Amino acid sequence: MPASATSPAAPALIEEAFLTIREEAGNVDSVATWHGPDGQHWLIATAKEGNVLQVFDAATGESLQRVGETGDGPGQFSRPNGIGVIDDLVVVVERDNTRVQLFALPGFEPLGSFGRDQLRRPYGVWLQRMTDGAYRAFVTDAYETVDEQMPPDAELGERIKQFRFTVGEDGVSAKHERSFGATDGEGVLRKVESLYGDPVTGRLLVADEDAVDIKLYDFGGRFQGAIMGADIFEHEPEGIALYACADGSGYWFTTDQDTRINRFHVFTREVLDYVGSFGGPVTRNTDGVWLTQTAMPGFPAGTFYAVHDDGNVAAFDLSRIFGALSLTPCNDRND
């Protein structure tokens, strides 16, 4: 059943606070931020054709460094696509190396990798911190048939791979916990890349670019019978981010990817109601997005980042987005 049945509103136009230097040859795909103990605010982007990570100052967009090179060894990449940051770890999904590789921050030391025995064509990742010090990674796997076609629904039961991993003195230790995906009905996952989880509600949101909607699963791999944005998205649903308040409220930020009319749709965290849309005068054809609620110079309420047309990253001031869409920030909910 649809989780929202309201037609999309005319998007609010919000000017980008900055755009990073443009590098189309690198083919930028996904982004994440890290806020270090010594005042570092870093924006990290995957350049899937350049086979590097691009690192910027998250508050200004200034280029800081490039990490990696082409190859399949530690610290090397072959089409890095999805990225996530959790604690002081950077987790990168490499489509063509069919693995998930981990790095330690701030030095980007390679720690190890996992997934090569299970992944076939991986793209996106979402990370969960466990209570025992371990982590969980959910990875989308858009595998194809031998002739590079979409598999039949009956063969789509492994669209998401779930791993549990730890990082210790001996590197990375990982276990493949399960693979899942519905093989019939509304929950079938066909063209998958972006996903994001919410431990408070137990929901795992998976964007299906073929069905043009976002499907809701639980952390046990079961489709919840709910679909978000079926009447809202007009193009390909892409990056997903969560604005989370301590009282369980908040907002989902999603991407309606298009080369001309690129919009970001916002839904409530609890009941998934559609509340509005926005876009920038420059930003279009967005793949990955990331939302940080950490205050930085120039961004007192946090920042929303969106990839712009495969070449760079745009930053939006969250306070301007909230004002334009009449959203309620966490500090106004007595968190």
Side-chain angles (χ1 to χ4, degrees), residues 154-187:
E155 298 178 11
L156 294 177
E158 299 184 354
R159 267 311 198 228
I160 300 176
K161 306 294 198 303
Q162 179 180 321
F163 300 89
R164 183 184 180 92
F165 67 93
T166 57
V167 180
E169 294 182 358
D170 297 328
V172 178
S173 176
K175 175 185 177 182
H176 173 232
E177 293 186 306
R178 63 170 61 90
S179 300
F180 59 88
T183 54
D184 59 63
E186 290 186 326

Side-chain angles (χ1 to χ4, degrees), residues 14 61 181 222 233 279 281 283:
I14 301 173
R222 295 171 291 268
F233 292 100
T283 307

Side-chain angles (χ1 to χ4, degrees), residues 1 33 54 61 76 90 96 104 113 117 149 153 169 187 207-208 213 223 282 297:
M1 63 179 179
T33 59
Q54 300 175 350
Q76 298 178 327
V90 178
D96 292 353
S113 62
D117 292 336
Q149 301 299 312
D153 289 358
E169 294 182 358
D208 188 338
D213 59 28
F223 175 57
V282 176

